[in-house]
DNA sequence: TAGATTGTTAATCGATTAACAATC
DNA sequence: TAGATTGTTAATCGATTAACAATC
């Protein structure tokens, strides 16, 4: 009764929603006014039942034979993700990654506005990055209360990550988008989402190595079987 | 018989390996020479059986009661991911994200070296970014063959993504680390790994919204039950 | 009406977690 | 030896995919 443990939404589904949103907005600019799961699935190379289940999370309903109203569907996804209104964020770490994120205007399409940057290097304080001021980290707690910011973006060096995150918590921020590889140790009440760039690189590295092996094996096989010349390996399979 | 379909490694396991590697290297700098799964699991807040299975993928064996040899384990993970040797990469898109990636020296610890950047904006050609030259994209095919590069990093605007990727394929690159939100349409022989920044933002947005709701509900509940003052909400739960 | 599509239930697949024997 | 830890098999859990009735 007390806290009727709301079952969490499947994270893989959540991660697919922005892809749908991007496609749907594009269809809208092309003048469309409705869309089927079949269409979405084929554009994004997914299973249409999966798309239907993902969309159902947002509470939207379609019409058999017709599909979904494009505008309503876009609105439903935006609302579901709270992207129908702007969330202000503070960014800590005005290095090159931090600057790149501040300069990425596209975040506006996803409900995010970075309103200020913070750092501890004196030579950066007072800078303006794409119109956003760089302030000293120690000013964050006072400023956060003043403007009611809820989200923090962490782009400091690994060695500074935990301390900077604690300042965010002190400042009353409720969620942290963590671009460092550090596993932050914070109160359970704080939402943390880690961007694991190097995990992504690991997947690619392994895939690449496997393909190079296969290409090598295929070539060795060809050579062994029939003494086929290297020229017989299709262009797409070259590996040198 | 022909191609004894090698079962792919579980992607979630692959994505955890860099986290292990980072921890193990840190333990090494602290002078350790062995480590147990129990230890790794507790440091990273994982299940120890899961850690054991993940590590088994690399082919390493531990000793009951003792654990794993730290140096051997580090070597096994590096070898498994091909991070025991450097992979050279070309980066396309010398904007702020591209520059940030080039400046991220840490990639060297993960087998990656960005050797050159490419762009199509004349004012960028000839620049040097952290010692790496910026060349015109049209020079890539010739240069790729010359230096034998296998990986491409894509940091162009969405509108240029597909074309730039095709130039990478033409140049003989075998894998693409795609930082754009575009679903690239490429030959199946090319390995593509997408960094879905906005998917990560979606997860955080939803989590943040849920926490704000819960905080609001908790407060409303308190008020309803006993007229408790707002001051009784613990600091960590503040949401305004 | 016929047929494409939705919404939902059931089956399958794959990853995580639990249980436990082997062993240093 | 006793007990912590590995390696592996079995059980559980959750996500994907298949099947199909409802419906516009």
């Amino acid at each position: 009764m007390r806290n009727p443990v709301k079952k969490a939404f499947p994270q893989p589904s959540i991660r697919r929603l922005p892809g749908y949103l991007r496609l749907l907005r594009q269809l809208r600019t092309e003048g469309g006014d409705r869309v089927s799961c079949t269409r979405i699935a084929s554009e994004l190379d997914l299973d249409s039942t999966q798309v239907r289940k993902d969309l159902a999370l947002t509470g939207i309903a379609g019409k058999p034979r017709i599909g979904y109203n494009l505008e309503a569907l876009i609105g439903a996804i935006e609302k579901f993700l709270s992207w129908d209104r702007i969330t202000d964020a503070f960014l800590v770490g005005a290095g090159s990654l931090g600057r790149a994120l501040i300069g990425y205007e596209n975040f506006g399409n996803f409900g995010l506005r970075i309103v200020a940057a913070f750092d501890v290097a004196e030579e950066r304080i007072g800078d303006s990055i794409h119109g956003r001021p760089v302030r000293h980290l120690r000013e964050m707690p006072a400023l956060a209360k003043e403007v009611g910011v809820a989200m923090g973006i962490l782009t400091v060096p690994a060695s500074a990550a935990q301390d900077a995150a604690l300042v965010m918590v002190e400042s009353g921020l409720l969620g942290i988008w963590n671009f460092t590889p550090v596993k932050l140790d914070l109160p359970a009440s704080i939402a943390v989402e880690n961007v694991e760039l190097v995990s992504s690189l690991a997947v690619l590295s392994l895939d690449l190595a496997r393909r190079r092996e296969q290409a090598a094996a295929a070539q060795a096989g060809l050579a062994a079987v029939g003494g086929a010349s290297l020229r017989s390996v299709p262009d797409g399979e070259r590996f040198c």
Side-chain angles (χ1 to χ4, degrees), chain A:
Chain A
M1 177 79 215
R2 181 165 276 270
N3 242 356
V5 183
K6 206 190 289 180
K7 187 139 158 295
F9 302 108
Q11 200 182 96
S13 297
I14 305 308
R15 301 188 83 94
R16 283 188 294 267
L17 291 177
Y20 301 149
L21 187 57
R22 194 182 122 85
L23 172 64
L24 297 171
R25 284 172 172 167
Q26 190 193 313
L27 294 176
R28 180 172 59 181
T29 66
E30 290 165 5
D33 73 332
R34 49 200 218 191
V35 68
S36 70
C37 287
T38 323
R39 173 80 192 281
I40 297 174
S42 84
E43 293 279 354
L44 300 179
D45 209 10
L46 297 171
D47 181 276
S48 81
T49 301
Q50 184 171 65
V51 174
R52 216 166 297 126
K53 285 207 165 160
D54 289 346
L55 297 181
L57 293 176
T58 68
I60 193 88
K63 290 211 186 79
R65 171 82 242 245
I66 306 295
Y68 298 82
N69 177 282
L70 188 53
E71 199 58 44
L73 185 49
I74 291 173
I77 297 175
E78 289 173 345
K79 180 137 191 283
F80 181 73
L81 296 172
S82 311
W83 289 354
D84 54 340
R85 55 189 170 71
I86 292 291
T87 294
D88 286 338
F90 281 166
L91 179 145
V92 182
S96 54
L97 179 57
R99 284 165 196 264
L101 294 179
I102 292 172
Y104 191 54
E105 292 121 10
N106 207 23
F107 283 147
N109 292 324
F110 306 99
L112 181 65
R113 178 171 58 192
I114 302 173
V115 293
F118 297 83
D119 208 300
V120 294
E122 289 300 340
E123 69 273 20
R124 287 177 178 163
I125 313 299
D127 277 11
S128 168
I129 303 175
H130 296 274
R132 262 64 55 96
V134 181
R135 295 168 174 269
H136 196 285
L137 184 56
R138 77 171 84 85
E139 297 180 44
M140 183 189 277
L143 216 60
K145 263 131 220 175
E146 199 177 311
V147 297
V149 164
M151 191 186 295
I153 302 177
L154 192 59
T155 53
V156 299
S159 57
Q162 176 66 28
D163 287 347
L166 285 174
V167 176
M168 288 179 169
V169 173
E170 252 177 63
S171 303
L173 306 197
L174 294 173
I176 298 181
W177 201 10
N178 177 25
F179 284 79
T180 79
V182 177
K183 192 184 141 19
L184 301 173
D185 187 18
L186 301 174
S189 58
I190 307 296
V192 177
E193 169 68 16
N194 301 306
V195 176
E196 310 264 15
L197 269 200
V198 178
S199 293
S200 171
L201 179 59
V203 173
L204 180 58
S205 298
L206 200 64
D207 196 354
L208 199 52
R210 218 198 48 222
R211 282 159 198 266
R212 292 215 248 193
E213 260 173 43
Q214 282 180 351
Q219 216 171 59
L222 276 177
V225 170
S229 92
L230 292 185
R231 271 191 299 283
S232 70
V233 176
D235 260 339
E237 307 283 327
R238 270 173 315 170
F239 70 100
C240 66

